[in-house]
Amino acid sequence: MAKIQVVQIQGQVQIQWRAERAPSGRWIAVCQPMNLVTEADSLDELHSVINEAMQLLLVDLLRDNELEAFLRAHGWKARLPVAANPADVQFNVPWQLIAEGAHDSARRPY
C-alpha cells in the first residue's frame, strides 16, 4: 500500500464556505473561491462533505496537471509531491464555515 502524502495549501488561505438551511431542512454550502456547492442533513455532516469535496477537486486538478495554475490564480501555493499518484495525496486546506440561520438566525462561524 502506498504512503499517503499530505500537501498543505499555503498563502492567504482561509477559504470561506457560506451555508444556509434550505426549506427542506438540509444545509446547502457554497464556496465561491473553489466554485463548489454541497449539501448535508446537519452541520456536522456538512463539515465532512466539505472536506471531501475539496479533496476531490484538488486531486482532479492534480491528476489533470492543472493544480499549480489553479493555486497560482488564487494566490495560493503548495509543495507538490514529485511523481506522486494523485490518489495517494491528501490536501490540507484551511477553511471556515459561516452558517446563516443556525439556531438563532444569526451568522455564526463553525
Side-chain angles (χ1 to χ4, degrees):
M1 179 176 227
K3 181 181 177 187
I4 298 295
Q5 297 182 46
V6 177
V7 174
Q8 176 71 41
I9 304 298
Q10 301 169 341
Q12 296 295 332
V13 182
Q14 178 65 28
I15 297 171
Q16 287 193 347
W17 283 79
R18 299 209 175 268
E20 289 188 28
R21 185 168 258 173
S24 66
R26 290 181 60 85
W27 284 94
I28 310 291
V30 177
C31 177
Q32 288 185 340
M34 297 189 91
N35 199 27
L36 293 172
V37 176
T38 191
E39 66 180 284
D41 289 324
S42 69
L43 287 174
D44 287 338
E45 181 183 355
L46 195 57
H47 276 81
S48 177
V49 172
I50 286 171
N51 283 324
E52 183 179 337
M54 289 190 302
Q55 175 69 20
L56 290 171
L57 172 65
L58 295 171
V59 165
D60 281 348
L61 290 168
L62 178 62
R63 183 175 289 121
D64 294 343
N65 205 23
E66 297 173 355
L67 182 58
E68 286 188 62
F70 177 82
L71 295 174
R72 192 172 31 258
H74 288 82
W76 307 333
K77 57 185 173 180
R79 178 174 283 154
L80 300 176
V82 179
N85 178 354
D88 297 331
V89 176
Q90 178 68 44
F91 291 93
N92 186 7
V93 183
W95 61 275
Q96 178 183 33
L97 179 64
I98 305 294
E100 309 240 354
H103 307 294
D104 60 1
S105 298
R107 289 182 55 196
R108 299 173 50 156
Y110 280 85

